[in-house]
Structure formats: C-alpha cells, structure tokens
Amino acid sequence: MASASTSALLHATVSAPGAKSAQPSDIEEKRHHNKHGKGFVNPWDSYIERSAPQLIRAMAWRAITGKSKSPDTTPPTVSVHKPVFLPSRKTEQLRATWLGHACYHVEFPGGLRVLFDPVFTPRCSPFSFMGPKRYTDVPCDVDNIPFIDCVIISHNHYDHLSHPTILKIAAKHKNVHFFVPLGNKQWFTKCGIHNVTELDWWEEQEIKLSSSQPSTEPSKHTSDSSNASVSASSTSQPDITATIGCLPCQHTSARTPFDKGHTLWSSWSVTSGNKKIWFGGDTGYRSVPELPASEFDYADKHAHLPVCPAFKQIGELRGPFDLGLIPIGAYDPRWIMSPMHANPYDSVNIFADTRCRRAMGIHWGTWVLTEEDVLEPPRLLKEAAKWRGLEEGAFGTCEIGESREF
C-alpha cells in the first residue's frame, strides 16, 4: 500500500478579483455577516433564531409534560463494516465511503482524496466522560486511511469538528490541508496546525497536488488577492487539481455557551477529475411551527412557509453535481429543530434545489442528538423520495463503512 506520508506540494493559489465562478448578484452586501455584533447570521425568512436558553426551556418543558421521547439504541441498529479504501490513487469512478454521521471519505478520479467532517471519538462532546455517546462503533481509525489530501469542515459543532480527531489526522497525514468556513482558522492555529484555508460563502480556491515545485501563476477562482503555497499528501503521478468552494447553508455555530454564531457555517463543493460533489454538512431548510404530531407540515395549508433560497442559488450558479451528501437526521421535535436540521422531506427538496444527480444521506446513525427513532431517517427518506417523485435509487443511504461508486 502506498504511504499517505509520501509528500508532494499542494499549491493553493488565490486569484486577483475578476475571474470568478457564478455568484449571486447581491454578494457584496454580505447579508450573512452580523452588522450589529460579532460573527454571522442566517439572512433568510426561513430561519427562526432561538437562543440556547430558549432551546433548553423548550426541551425541559417537553420532558416535564411527558412529550419527550428517548430513542431506543439497543442493537441491532445501523450495521458497521470495516471500510475498504483503495490502495492507490487509481480509480475511474467517484467513490464515497460513509464513516458515520456527517463523515465521508471521497476518492475522486484522478487521485484527490477528501475527508469531510471527521469525528472518530466515542463522544461528540468537549468531554471524554459525558455528552452524546456513539451507539454505533467507529468503523476505522485515522491510521487506516491511506490518503487524506484535504479535510473539509462544515462548522465547529462537536459532532462535526473533533479536537482529538483533527490532531490525529495532522500527525499521521502531515501534509494534509484543511478547509474551513470564515473565522475557524484561529482554532486550528491554536492547535498548532497551519495548513488551513478559511473561506467565506461563494468563495472558492483551486488547489494543485504535484511532485514539482509550486507554480507562481495565480488561479482564477476567488475574489481574494493573496497567494499561498501549502502541502498535502500525494504519490508520484501526474498533477492533481481541484476546486474547493465554500457555499451557504442554514445553520449556526458554537463551541461554548458564549460564542454562538461567532464563526461561519457552510456547505461545500469539490470539483476534481471531471466529477463534482456538494457536501451539505448540517442545515435546515424551513422553520415549521408546532403542529399536531399527525399533521404533515408539507400539506398545502403550510405552503406559505418560506424555504431557504440559498440551495436554488447553489444549483443554478454552481450545479449540477454528480453527488450530494445531504443531511437527513436530527430533526425531532420538528418545530424546535427545523430551522437548523433538515428532515428527509426537506432533504429531497434540497436535493432538487441543488441539482444533484445522486445523493447519499448523512447526519444520522451515530449519536442520539434528537428524539426521532434512530432508524427513522432512512425509512422516511424512502417515503419522501416517492413524494418528491425522485427516480428509484437517486437518493439513498448505506451502512457505515460501506463504499458506493458514482
């Protein structure tokens, strides 16, 4: 097996303003930047802001009134397999391996290897002794992954950004490069990690893996005027190029009770080897009021509820995508979670809006974060796909550790 530590240079260059991919006409307004405080906001009517105390009170009241549910995690739940990664960079297909929750390892034709939102710890928590604990095993360790060129982080919640995992990746894959939303670079720097690029929504960066010296010619993909050269893992082979794009989603961020929204959250696009994927990370789609449990919130009488317009913009301006990695879990109780987390009916609409040809469901099957049954998301996804009229197999799920080719 080729060593992941075999080094070559990943040339990350950022062009001067002028030559950009398609962007929204109002991009200069930066409506998602908080004009009245620190950090960032969701600038759409589809989002309802609730503070941490409001959420805690709502969940506590559900417990007091007996409305809350505790999902049964007794095995069997989601099957876990030891993943099989390609031993070299040779592949003609786009190959994606689910490693639990929002983590996917994607192998692109041409050789690029990308890891999304890796969390390989027993708990998604700042503590090793408390917080949500896995009900499905970690399918592998960082040491089992032969190639990681880029790690892409959607936001800084603990089920998406793990301090122990990031340190292991940086130690094992010394030339890996991290891509993060705006404001998150400082966290990595404090960890002693400097191969980091942070981007704002609609910015993108071209990267190049090569065994030769870095080119001084700037790429033509972002609005930033700076140039940077960084390192990533590779083997001796022709150059690998990719474009990494930071895109909107409807969510929030926090590592403590005191820093909500201080750093940006995002979805991402990656284009390499004539394949393009969209990674949804963690997102809501619309905010749903409290309704009777039996009431379908996509019924005609709720058609007036605003939906997040960013996904149609992504599809129109940056799509279509060969593969979407789209969240489908952590949505119940719906009226509390819907601004931040999509349910499968939201997910199939996001799939259509972003113009994905195929998709796999993420953000489920690993930790109990909300109240739906742990196996409900894939069941509900099948119903939602039929409701939306998707072709059979267009949007599905797989078992943890399983790989699919596209």
Side-chain angles (χ1 to χ4, degrees), residues 40-264:
F40 306 91
V41 298
N42 290 286
W44 311 291
D45 293 338
S46 55
Y47 182 77
I48 293 177
E49 179 65 46
R50 293 191 179 97
S51 66
Q54 286 176 316
L55 293 172
I56 292 170
R57 284 197 298 270
M59 298 303 284
W61 181 247
R62 286 180 60 80
I64 291 170
T65 57
K67 294 181 179 179
S68 63
K69 298 175 288 184
S70 297
D72 182 8
T73 60
T74 305
T77 54
V78 184
S79 296
V80 180
H81 307 275
K82 183 178 180 180
V84 176
F85 303 104
L86 297 177
S88 76
R89 292 183 180 272
K90 294 180 180 180
T91 177
E92 296 181 358
Q93 303 295 324
L94 182 69
R95 188 173 186 269
T97 304
W98 187 36
L99 301 179
H101 200 54
C103 182
Y104 252 89
H105 181 269
V106 180
E107 297 161 305
F108 285 82
L112 183 73
R113 304 296 185 249
V114 181
L115 189 62
F116 294 92
D117 281 1
V119 180
F120 294 158
T121 50
R123 297 184 187 271
C124 58
S125 167
F127 310 104
S128 61
F129 56 88
M130 63 180 295
K133 187 175 182 180
R134 285 179 180 266
Y135 60 86
T136 49
D137 293 335
V138 181
C140 67
D141 195 14
V142 172
D143 290 343
N144 303 128
I145 305 176
F147 302 104
I148 305 175
D149 301 313
C150 303
V151 173
I152 292 179
I153 302 296
S154 63
H155 66 297
N156 69 356
H157 283 160
Y158 286 91
D159 56 325
H160 297 259
L161 177 61
S162 162
H163 179 260
T165 301
I166 294 299
L167 292 184
K168 281 187 177 181
I169 292 171
K172 173 66 177 179
H173 300 269
K174 297 186 183 299
N175 296 323
V176 68
H177 197 73
F178 295 87
F179 287 87
V180 299
L182 208 60
N184 286 284
K185 184 174 181 177
Q186 184 180 12
W187 183 90
F188 284 80
T189 302
K190 288 181 178 179
C191 294
I193 299 170
H194 302 283
N195 290 340
V196 185
T197 294
E198 62 177 18
L199 297 175
D200 201 353
W201 288 353
W202 299 105
E203 290 183 340
E204 59 184 10
Q205 187 160 13
E206 184 177 272
I207 64 173
K208 181 178 180 181
L209 277 70
S210 174
S211 57
S212 62
Q213 290 300 311
S215 169
T216 58
E217 180 182 357
S219 71
K220 299 178 180 180
H221 288 275
T222 65
S223 58
D224 195 352
S225 60
S226 63
N227 293 328
S229 293
V230 294
S231 296
S233 61
S234 180
T235 60
S236 178
Q237 63 161 51
D239 292 349
I240 299 169
T241 60
T243 300
I244 314 292
C246 182
L247 295 167
C249 67
Q250 181 172 293
H251 200 57
T252 188
S253 65
R255 296 290 280 184
T256 74
F258 312 105
D259 64 347
K260 184 178 181 181
H262 286 193
T263 63
L264 188 58

Side-chain angles (χ1 to χ4, degrees), residues 3 70 330 369 377 399:
S3 171
S70 297
L369 303 176
E399 297 176 343

